[in-house]
Amino acid sequence: MELRERFLRAAEALRRAEVLVITSGAGMGVDSGLPDFRGDSGFWKAYPPYERLGITFVGAANPAHFEKDPAFGWGFYGHRTNLYRATVPHAGFGIIRAWIERYGLDHFVVTSNVDGQFQKAGFAEDRILEVHGSIHHLQCTKPCTMAVWENRETIPVDESTMRAGHIPRCIHCGDVARPNILMFGDYGWISGRTARQQRNFDEFLTEVRGRRAVVVELGAGTAIPTIRYLTEEVGSLHQAVAIRINPREAQIGAPHISLACGALEGLAGIKSCLE
């Protein structure tokens, strides 16, 4: 089946929809210029100093750094904080918002990304589930309390060494703070904020049960398949159709729709058919 025909099928599903669930992985940010860290080579291309040190993404995204060498831990996460703050969400975010408004769709966003791009693009905070947390919120490294607070820190980073020139501190005890993100081998993540978002999503699914739903999955890979599993779970509901947009791993069984392209190309292709 030609890609154009698949765009037409996806557009027809959206025309009939009453509910829209957006599920998003790292590929959603690629069109905004963000790295997706696909494989060690992809990570090292984005962060050459780590290749010289022989450190992979898993090694860099390790909570132990905040205890042993917080300047090194914050080198990676401070750089990412600055990058995400500076990034402008691509046009695909606006396409989705226009569909929601045009068709009066009840909607929810579920993302494994920690970059806050959906909020920046104007999606409502109470309609977003960030399954791995957010870089824009902090917690104590110990942790001394279960508190989570907004990240308002300025974190300069020496990109030749990937070490931070400022270490954020816990607002309660003064110890080192860390991003409220679920990292690899992480037993200290405070999940309360994400748990509240999860409850909002569960209530949403209960409220829209039985209505015609479309799930649009954007750039979610198979390495950590949390988002793909969720797409298929929601897509299995009565009258639901899932649209998987992925340039390399778009496969999904009928009656769902596979679009082998990038996030922005896929959204723009569906938009052209709707118009």
Side-chain angles (χ1 to χ4, degrees), residues 77-87 153-157:
Y77 282 100
H79 185 277
R80 290 178 71 189
T81 299
N82 298 334
L83 175 64
Y84 296 153
R85 285 173 175 170
T87 298
E153 302 281 346
T154 299
I155 310 164
V157 176

Side-chain angles (χ1 to χ4, degrees), residues 23 73 120 202 241 246:
T23 60
K120 184 180 271 193
D202 292 342
V241 175
N246 194 301

Side-chain angles (χ1 to χ4, degrees), residues 150-171:
E150 191 174 349
N151 180 3
R152 298 181 179 273
E153 302 281 346
T154 299
I155 310 164
V157 176
D158 182 341
E159 295 190 20
S160 66
T161 61
M162 293 307 294
R163 296 183 67 82
H166 167 69
I167 307 300
R169 297 284 172 176
C170 175
I171 60 175

Side-chain angles (χ1 to χ4, degrees), residues 83-102:
L83 175 64
Y84 296 153
R85 285 173 175 170
T87 298
V88 177
H90 62 74
F93 292 88
I95 291 173
I96 297 167
R97 287 192 63 198
W99 291 342
I100 291 167
E101 294 168 10
R102 178 179 178 181

Side-chain angles (χ1 to χ4, degrees), residues 19-70:
V19 176
L20 175 63
V21 178
I22 299 296
T23 60
S24 165
M28 182 58 171
V30 170
D31 292 302
S32 299
L34 296 175
D36 67 358
F37 304 149
R38 182 177 174 84
D40 292 343
S41 60
F43 175 65
W44 288 333
K45 181 179 179 181
Y47 291 101
Y50 292 118
E51 182 174 14
R52 294 195 296 270
L53 295 170
I55 295 175
T56 65
F57 175 50
V58 174
N62 188 325
H65 294 309
F66 293 99
E67 298 177 9
K68 298 176 180 177
D69 188 354

Side-chain angles (χ1 to χ4, degrees), residues 74 81 85 114 116 119 125 130 133-140 147-152 177-181 183 189-190 193 196-197:
W74 269 111
T81 299
R85 285 173 175 170
V114 301
Q119 288 94 331
E125 182 73 41
E130 295 159 299
S134 168
I135 205 166
H136 303 296
H137 290 79
L138 302 178
Q139 65 167 84
C140 182
V148 173
W149 63 94
E150 191 174 349
N151 180 3
R152 298 181 179 273
R178 50 160 277 187
N180 183 232
I181 291 173
M183 304 178 201
W189 180 51
I190 296 172
R193 178 175 177 272
R196 289 191 294 274
Q197 294 178 333

